[in-house]
Amino acid sequence: MAITEEKIISFQKMLLAEERSLNTVRKYCQDIRQFKDWIGGEKVTKETLLGWKEFMILKGYKGTTINGKIISINAYFKYFGQIEYKMKLLKVQRKFFRESANDLKKEDYKKMIYTAKRLGKRRLLLIMETICTTGIRVSELKYITLNAIQEGKAEILLKGKLRTILIPKTLCKKLKYYAKEKGIFCGELFITRSGKSISRKQIWAEMKALCHKAQIEASKVFPHNLRHLFARCFYERCKDISKLADVLGHSSIETTRIYLVSTYEGHMEILNKMDLIIK
């Protein structure tokens, strides 16, 4: 079977019809095109698929990255009924610590907020506070509407699943004042001058520009890290991973566990406190 652009577009339409997120659809198609370029017009065989997997391993791709690409390819061939081309995922041991270089701490977050306030970046400040105090995804900001802040809760629809998130009273108060100031009488709060939803790309770019002013490592600053910070702070308070999974909208607790992995330093501190080295 040959991979063609026409088939990729057909696969893309199917994913959109299944209401997959735009980022998921983009990633799947990007992975398939990458594989298509790698085989260089050859027909797909089990050998070429295994060769591609070995190529990625030798190139030093992370196990999770390789598995992500395998999932994309498997979904593509399943759509066309070519289940004989299904590849096995790599068995990757779950990491029990995360890299601290990419770890956004509460102190970093506060510095970002104070810097945004000092620079008059009101919308960005409120976006960061909204994500970090509710745990929503950046793509779910569109559900923060005037009606939602008046009720103190938002109904969020993702992948056919509806969940309710509560909005803290102090945040509601700030958002109501912002809406009044900007002349927003209905609908979404975080919009551009033309009235469109603010994009993930724009939020990312504004946060990256802000991190330099706040003197914070750029590797720590991106919207999803605010969601991770929320998860860690929420769990510290309630110690209930099932409840946290519901708040975050995770179907599996295993996904939620990723958010709670300790840092390298935190794990090392535990090992040192065990005091099992005989002096």
Side-chain angles (χ1 to χ4, degrees):
M1 175 181 178
I3 297 177
T4 65
E5 188 60 29
E6 289 75 18
K7 288 181 178 178
I8 294 174
I9 292 172
S10 175
F11 176 66
Q12 181 183 45
K13 289 179 179 177
M14 180 275 294
L15 294 174
L16 291 171
E18 288 186 348
E19 297 185 6
R20 300 292 188 97
S21 72
L22 291 178
N23 286 327
T24 298
V25 174
R26 191 179 298 115
K27 181 195 176 300
Y28 273 39
C29 293
Q30 182 179 333
D31 290 342
I32 295 161
R33 289 188 176 99
Q34 183 185 28
F35 174 63
K36 176 176 175 287
D37 292 341
W38 186 80
I39 60 177
E42 292 183 24
K43 286 188 176 181
V44 179
T45 64
K46 196 68 177 178
E47 289 70 30
T48 56
L49 287 166
L50 293 175
W52 179 63
K53 184 193 289 188
E54 185 177 3
F55 166 78
M56 289 190 291
I57 293 171
L58 293 174
K59 279 289 184 180
Y61 283 59
K62 290 182 179 179
T64 51
T65 300
I66 295 173
N67 280 344
K69 293 181 183 297
I70 289 173
I71 289 170
S72 300
I73 295 297
N74 284 348
Y76 174 84
F77 287 121
K78 181 181 179 181
Y79 171 64
F80 288 105
Q82 302 288 328
I83 57 174
E84 66 271 20
Y85 291 134
K86 182 178 180 180
M87 288 183 285
K88 291 183 179 180
L89 299 176
L90 296 178
K91 293 182 179 179
V92 182
Q93 180 179 327
R94 182 171 50 237
K95 291 185 72 172
F96 46 84
F97 63 85
R98 65 181 185 275
E99 299 298 333
S100 56
N102 300 326
D103 185 40
L104 184 72
K105 297 182 175 63
K106 192 182 290 187
E107 297 75 29
D108 299 321
Y109 164 71
K110 287 181 178 180
K111 283 177 70 176
M112 292 285 288
I113 293 297
Y114 293 145
T115 303
K117 185 175 182 179
R118 176 170 57 84
L119 297 174
K121 303 288 185 180
R122 185 84 179 288
R123 184 181 63 185
L124 179 60
L125 183 155
L126 290 172
I127 285 173
M128 293 191 294
E129 285 188 325
T130 299
I131 295 173
C132 208
T133 58
T134 62
I136 62 173
R137 300 170 178 86
V138 67
S139 61
E140 296 170 340
L141 280 170
K142 62 185 178 182
Y143 294 105
I144 305 300
T145 62
L146 188 63
N147 184 61
I149 61 173
Q150 287 171 343
E151 294 188 1
K153 61 182 180 180
E155 302 292 331
I156 293 178
L157 179 64
L158 185 71
K159 297 180 181 178
K161 182 169 64 175
L162 190 68
R163 81 181 193 278
T164 302
I165 62 106
L166 303 182
I167 307 171
K169 290 181 180 178
T170 51
L171 179 61
C172 283
K173 186 176 180 180
K174 293 178 75 171
L175 292 176
K176 285 176 185 177
Y177 185 80
Y178 174 78
K180 184 178 180 181
E181 187 182 63
K182 296 294 182 181
I184 299 172
F185 303 107
C186 64
E188 297 176 46
L189 296 189
F190 302 119
I191 53 178
T192 62
R193 290 180 180 178
S194 61
K196 295 181 180 179
S197 301
I198 186 168
S199 69
R200 174 198 301 265
K201 185 177 180 181
Q202 185 172 346
I203 296 170
W204 186 300
E206 289 184 14
M207 286 182 67
K208 287 297 181 184
L210 189 67
C211 73
H212 297 298
K213 300 284 186 181
Q215 297 183 326
I216 298 173
E217 295 280 343
S219 60
K220 296 181 178 183
V221 181
F222 49 92
H224 201 69
N225 240 7
L226 296 172
R227 183 167 148 89
H228 276 259
L229 178 57
F230 166 85
R232 296 197 301 273
C233 292
F234 188 92
Y235 185 75
E236 284 174 9
R237 290 284 182 176
C238 74
K239 300 296 182 183
D240 187 336
I241 195 169
S242 296
K243 187 173 183 178
L244 175 59
D246 289 338
V247 172
L248 294 175
H250 289 161
S251 300
S252 169
I253 287 178
E254 290 304 306
T255 304
T256 312
R257 287 182 63 181
I258 296 171
Y259 285 58
L260 304 177
V261 173
S262 64
T263 61
Y264 170 86
E265 288 82 3
H267 183 70
M268 186 59 73
E269 184 180 353
I270 293 171
L271 296 180
N272 291 334
K273 285 182 176 179
M274 289 170 64
D275 194 27
L276 293 176
I277 303 298
I278 307 301
K279 297 180 181 178

